[in-house]
Amino acid sequence: MSAHRQPVLGILGGGQLARMLALAAAPLGVRTVVVDGSPDACAGQVAPLRVMPWNDYAGLEAFAHEVDAVTFDFENVPAETAAHLVERVAVRPNPHALAVAQDRVIEKTTFRECGIPTADFAPVATREELDRALAQIGAPAILKTRRFGYDGKGQFRLKSLADADAAWVALGPQASPNGLILEAFVPFQRELSVIAVRGADGEFRTWPLTRNWHVDGVLNLSLAPAEDLGNLQAKADALACVLAEKLDYVGVFALELFVKDGELLGNEMAPRVHNSGHWSIEGAYTSQFENHVRAVMGIPLGDTGVRGLSVMFNWLGELPDPAPLLRATDAHWHDYGKAARPGRKVGHATVCAPDAATMIARLETVSRALGREAQVAGALEVLHAG
Ligand code: AMP
């Protein structure tokens, strides 16, 4: 009998996304190996962890020999690291797609080339350029770092032109070498995301639109499928498909969208599985994690249909007492195995239900028991209105 060699997926970054990818890969018979700079990376609790910095090229060489394909839990892997690996092994998504998503100016420029509308924006590298950008875009506006910003970090909101000095004090020191971007503030009615997947053969699928609520720039709660919004699903799917084709993308990505007066505006893309798609683990026939593994390993994609409604709570800073959720029907607890730290994503929970009335009852019970009534207020409003 010949030994059956299992395919191996390498994951750059060892956070909760890598952890959930590894857990989804196992039933497919795909082994995972994770690279992270920290020995405490939480994916290391479920998959072999290779601890090394991104510029350890000898270490990366050995890693490339271990795996059949490489993917990311983290989009800010240096371009040099991706370039080194792409010479040795299949890197999915490709380093160009990663580079586009790493820089907000390139990202929004690419969106526009794809016909994805965006807020007005301008690159800013100096104090004078900030004044020029403000004259062009007006206020309110948001000044952001072009690179390395996430979850509302590296952002300053300008209510009026008089805030220019304060904005420059806050972010001016980060203007070099990577630059800043000034964006018009979008007075949106809703935030949505479309999670999409493109296979190595070009097959393209999306999950139903997700409605997202953020607090201080960080995702707090998601509801999927989002309320019926006319033909926004078809529009979002079409925009995501154009983007995926343009980038020759393979794997899962998220396109974050604002809805303003019934129109979609692209905010940013995440070139990886995304927090707003975590509900799909229990709420969809195939989760974003499983389909990402399938896509990057060249396995046929799975059905992205949903079983019913899902609501995902993000646990930031520390976990609540899990007992009320563990006792609830069709409620699912995810502890990432990370140390508590203010603002840190330490876990999530998903409550599923076959219909809106059942979801309302489950959310009311669970949120009261957890003392999280405020967190579900927006979702309850949508469900009651539906
Ligand atoms: P980001 O890191 O760009 O995803 O921003 C985090 C959050 O800040 C978004 O989910 C929005 O809630 C808010 N935000 C970012 N950019 C804008 C904008 N141009 N107009 C209004 N709100 C924004």
Side-chain angles (χ1 to χ4, degrees):
M1 221 167 71
S2 68
H4 168 63
R5 188 186 166 278
Q6 284 180 281
V8 186
L9 173 61
I11 307 174
L12 300 179
Q16 66 268 15
L17 301 180
R19 180 180 168 114
M20 289 185 272
L21 284 169
L23 293 171
L28 295 168
V30 173
R31 288 176 46 219
T32 43
V33 179
V34 175
V35 173
D36 198 283
S38 165
D40 299 326
C42 72
Q45 296 169 19
V46 305
L49 178 65
R50 309 282 178 253
V51 180
M52 65 181 97
W54 298 127
N55 61 359
D56 178 354
Y57 294 110
L60 290 170
E61 178 93 43
F63 166 72
H65 277 108
E66 266 193 288
V67 302
D68 299 293
V70 169
T71 194
F72 306 89
D73 124 304
F74 172 68
E75 64 264 46
N76 288 317
V77 169
E80 299 75 28
T81 305
H84 180 86
L85 287 169
V86 90
E87 298 293 320
R88 293 159 174 82
V89 64
V91 176
R92 294 171 170 164
N94 65 68
H96 171 65
L98 200 70
V100 167
Q102 281 176 349
D103 183 311
R104 292 184 189 275
V105 171
I106 299 173
E107 182 178 52
K108 285 200 162 61
T109 305
T110 305
F111 282 2
R112 291 210 168 171
E113 287 165 7
C114 291
I116 304 174
T118 71
D120 283 342
F121 66 93
V124 169
T126 63
R127 181 67 179 79
E128 293 68 41
E129 282 182 17
L130 175 59
D131 284 338
R132 245 177 283 147
L134 272 170
Q136 176 196 330
I137 287 166
I142 307 191
L143 188 64
K144 302 179 179 179
T145 55
R146 282 175 68 155
R147 297 172 65 94
F148 306 117
Y150 67 100
D151 288 344
K153 293 182 177 63
Q155 300 192 5
F156 189 97
R157 296 190 179 200
L158 295 92
K159 293 194 179 59
S160 73
L161 301 185
D163 290 336
D165 282 332
W168 194 253
V169 168
L171 291 182
Q174 294 179 60
S176 172
N178 296 317
L180 307 172
I181 179 174
L182 187 76
E183 295 178 13
F185 183 85
V186 180
F188 55 79
Q189 284 87 38
R190 304 183 179 82
E191 287 193 81
L192 302 176
S193 53
V194 59
I195 311 291
V197 60
R198 185 165 177 270
D201 59 357
E203 184 183 357
F204 179 81
R205 294 182 187 227
T206 61
W207 283 261
L209 282 168
T210 303
R211 172 87 186 260
N212 301 312
W213 287 267
H214 292 80
V215 173
D216 297 331
V218 185
L219 186 64
N220 193 42
L221 194 96
S222 292
L223 166 68
E227 62 270 42
D228 184 5
L229 299 163
N231 61 352
L232 288 190
Q233 178 85 49
K235 282 189 187 165
D237 289 355
L239 297 178
C241 188
V242 175
L243 183 62
E245 298 277 325
K246 178 165 179 83
L247 297 175
D248 193 19
Y249 198 93
V250 175
V252 165
F253 65 98
L255 179 59
E256 294 184 44
L257 300 158
F258 298 135
V259 184
K260 183 174 161 274
D261 306 328
E263 294 303 322
L264 295 173
L265 294 176
N267 176 35
E268 63 177 352
M269 74 171 291
R272 53 172 166 74
V273 287
H274 189 251
N275 199 166
S276 67
H278 290 1
W279 62 267
S280 63
I281 297 175
E282 294 89 7
Y285 294 124
T286 315
S287 77
Q288 62 165 348
F289 299 100
E290 178 170 348
N291 259 346
H292 185 70
V293 173
R294 292 188 189 212
V296 301
M297 299 308 285
I299 301 169
L301 300 183
D303 187 346
T304 52
V306 295
R307 300 178 194 281
L309 289 162
S310 299
V311 167
M312 186 219 60
F313 298 70
N314 242 8
W315 304 136
L316 303 170
E318 59 182 352
L319 297 168
D321 172 11
L325 208 122
L326 293 173
R327 288 195 195 97
T329 302
D330 214 352
H332 308 274
W333 184 254
H334 294 261
D335 175 344
Y336 302 152
K338 291 162 75 172
R341 197 188 294 158
R344 195 178 200 199
K345 292 179 176 173
V346 289
H348 77 267
T350 302
V351 175
C352 300
D355 53 59
T358 314
M359 180 58 92
I360 289 169
R362 287 181 181 168
L363 280 186
E364 285 177 349
T365 308
V366 163
S367 64
R368 203 176 308 123
L370 293 169
R372 299 286 181 142
E373 291 96 329
Q375 196 167 354
V376 296
L380 283 176
E381 203 177 298
V382 169
L383 292 163
H384 278 295

